[in-house]
Amino acid sequence: MKVPFASFDIMHAQIREEMLQKFAAIYDKGYFIQGDECSAFETEFAAYCHTSFCIGCANGLDAIQLILRAMDIGEGDEVIIPSNTYIATALAVTYVGATPVLVEPDLATYNLSSQGLDAALTPKTKAIIAVHLYGQPANMDAILSFASQHGLKVIEDCAQAHGATYAGRKVGGLGDAAAFSFYPGKNLGALGDGGAVVTNDQILADKVRAIANYGSVKKYNHFYKGVNSRLDEAQAGLLRIKLTHLEEYNENRRLTAESYLQGINNPDIILPTVAARCTHVWHIFAIRTTKRDALHDYLAEMGIGTLSHYPIAIHNQKAYADLAHGALPLAELIAAQELSLPLYFEMTQEQVQYVIDAINNF
């Protein structure tokens, strides 16, 4: 049996005609940037996230960068991020001229641990980026409490957590602003790159929108040294369709994850855990094992696709060779041990059981 790491076949087959009709309508209308589809998606996605404002942009990395710029975070400032996140979180901080400060995660959830925040705090610290890694919300109560005590902004990196909830509230509206990615493999994925910023702060939202549009509030009137980062009409229109199915997609992923959690029983495997008061949307089902490479090769021989998220920690990347940091053993441990199992919409029970049996027999 073949079990790919990811597949869009069934998902896209079910909505194929609706997607093609939407694309044809946009094509025939001949209006491709900042039109009705983008405006409608922004309204609908803000409502989904229970926030007041949404601004579409080109990708998730831009979304974080736009928030930082709108908060006037830049040269000489520091921003706390998890040591084990994807490099895009760090790059956004770097792009605005600030310095990413790496804090170790909670090994049970892989999300930013509040334990290291005190040690990371300096007079230069301006914000914390709380990454909801793999689809599970970070410990927002602790992060928000610390930020409030020290006058820091809180930015949610929701690139992997569309629809996840913390204490009954959807991610995106928990901090000062949040960044989403609509990369095709995300729980809510476009057919290309795309991203969005959501917030309840109108002043911040207006500034993000302006910076993303060449710094322009009014055509040919440029208030900021902005960039070109906009969600195009085609992607917005297609995302509108997928958004109506997102809860179904997430529930299907949850059922697959539950089967893994109940069925995998191998002393060499550390299974993921779901924190109290959190709804996990399982963008990634991340296991850990000291035999990661051997397990990867064994599963590949059986036709089962896996990936590692992420095999080289940020501080060990050549791009960040100049980044000052202390010891980061948890980031290095996760990088050496994490393996992501196949998890996508409408995996069959036979496929799921095949993966379970293969791992249990390893």
Side-chain angles (χ1 to χ4, degrees):
M1 180 182 291
K2 295 287 186 181
V3 185
F5 175 72
S7 172
F8 306 121
D9 291 352
I10 296 176
M11 173 191 291
H12 286 170
Q14 291 181 357
I15 58 175
R16 175 182 171 83
E17 291 309 313
E18 191 177 4
M19 295 282 271
L20 291 176
Q21 289 172 16
K22 174 66 74 172
F23 180 78
I26 295 167
Y27 186 88
D28 291 341
K29 190 172 185 179
Y31 200 103
F32 305 117
I33 298 290
Q34 292 186 316
D36 294 342
E37 292 293 341
C38 187
S39 178
F41 173 74
E42 289 175 341
T43 299
E44 291 159 6
F45 193 64
Y48 179 81
C49 295
H50 300 162
T51 58
S52 300
F53 307 99
C54 171
I55 306 95
C57 62
N59 53 67
L61 169 55
D62 279 8
I64 304 173
Q65 184 181 348
L66 289 166
I67 293 169
L68 291 167
R69 291 191 62 179
M71 290 178 172
D72 296 320
I73 294 172
E75 199 73 38
D77 296 331
E78 294 178 350
V79 178
I80 293 171
I81 70 171
S83 60
N84 61 314
T85 186
Y86 183 54
I87 197 170
T89 314
L91 288 173
V93 177
T94 301
Y95 288 167
V96 301
T99 300
V101 176
L102 305 176
V103 170
E104 291 275 68
D106 177 343
L107 200 54
T109 65
Y110 307 119
N111 279 325
L112 183 67
S113 172
S114 59
Q115 301 289 319
L117 294 178
D118 272 319
L121 184 70
T122 77
K124 297 179 180 180
T125 308
K126 294 296 187 291
I128 301 170
I129 300 180
V131 181
H132 304 312
L133 198 66
Y134 304 153
Q136 173 159 231
N139 183 358
M140 293 303 293
D141 281 348
I143 292 169
L144 290 167
S145 176
F146 182 88
S148 178
Q149 291 172 28
H150 299 284
L152 307 178
K153 297 292 188 181
V154 175
I155 300 164
E156 296 175 75
D157 182 341
C158 303
Q160 300 182 356
H162 312 70
T165 65
Y166 178 84
R169 297 175 61 194
K170 279 201 171 74
V171 299
L174 304 174
D176 293 287
F180 283 87
S181 165
F182 303 125
Y183 179 79
K186 305 300 187 185
N187 290 35
L188 178 61
L191 301 190
D193 275 317
V197 172
V198 300
T199 183
N200 289 309
D201 183 333
Q202 182 170 2
I203 293 174
L204 183 69
D206 290 345
K207 193 170 181 181
V208 166
R209 187 177 297 281
I211 293 171
N213 187 35
Y214 299 101
S216 175
V217 176
K218 180 182 177 183
K219 194 171 180 68
Y220 300 132
N221 286 264
H222 303 273
F223 284 41
Y224 313 102
K225 295 175 182 175
V227 297
N228 175 17
S229 183
R230 299 173 300 202
L231 182 65
D232 68 67
E233 284 290 278
Q235 297 300 349
L238 301 177
L239 283 167
R240 290 184 67 197
I241 294 169
K242 282 194 167 185
L243 180 59
T244 65
H245 297 277
L246 180 55
E247 291 298 302
E248 175 192 359
Y249 296 160
N250 283 345
E251 176 61 14
N252 187 267
R253 298 177 81 93
R254 187 194 66 78
L255 292 172
T256 297
E258 189 62 31
S259 294
Y260 280 155
L261 291 171
Q262 293 180 2
I264 295 174
N265 183 15
N266 184 319
D268 289 324
I269 304 299
I270 299 171
L271 292 170
T273 59
V274 180
R277 302 193 300 158
C278 287
T279 299
H280 201 315
V281 294
W282 300 104
H283 174 60
I284 290 169
F285 192 93
I287 64 172
R288 284 188 14 247
T289 175
T290 57
K291 302 175 181 177
R292 193 264 304 282
D293 293 343
L295 178 58
H296 167 273
D297 294 345
Y298 162 78
L299 293 175
E301 289 177 2
M302 299 193 68
I304 298 171
T306 61
L307 288 177
S308 293
H309 294 88
Y310 304 96
I312 304 174
I314 291 171
H315 67 282
N316 287 330
Q317 296 283 356
K318 185 176 180 180
Y320 278 107
D322 60 342
L323 185 65
H325 61 83
L328 297 168
L330 296 185
E332 294 181 6
L333 178 72
I334 295 167
Q337 295 185 353
E338 193 277 340
L339 190 68
S340 304
L341 301 185
L343 203 166
Y344 50 90
F345 180 65
E346 290 291 5
M347 282 184 71
T348 67
Q349 283 298 313
E350 290 76 17
Q351 288 175 316
V352 174
Q353 191 60 50
Y354 182 68
V355 175
I356 292 170
D357 291 342
I359 292 175
N360 288 345
N361 291 327
F362 174 67

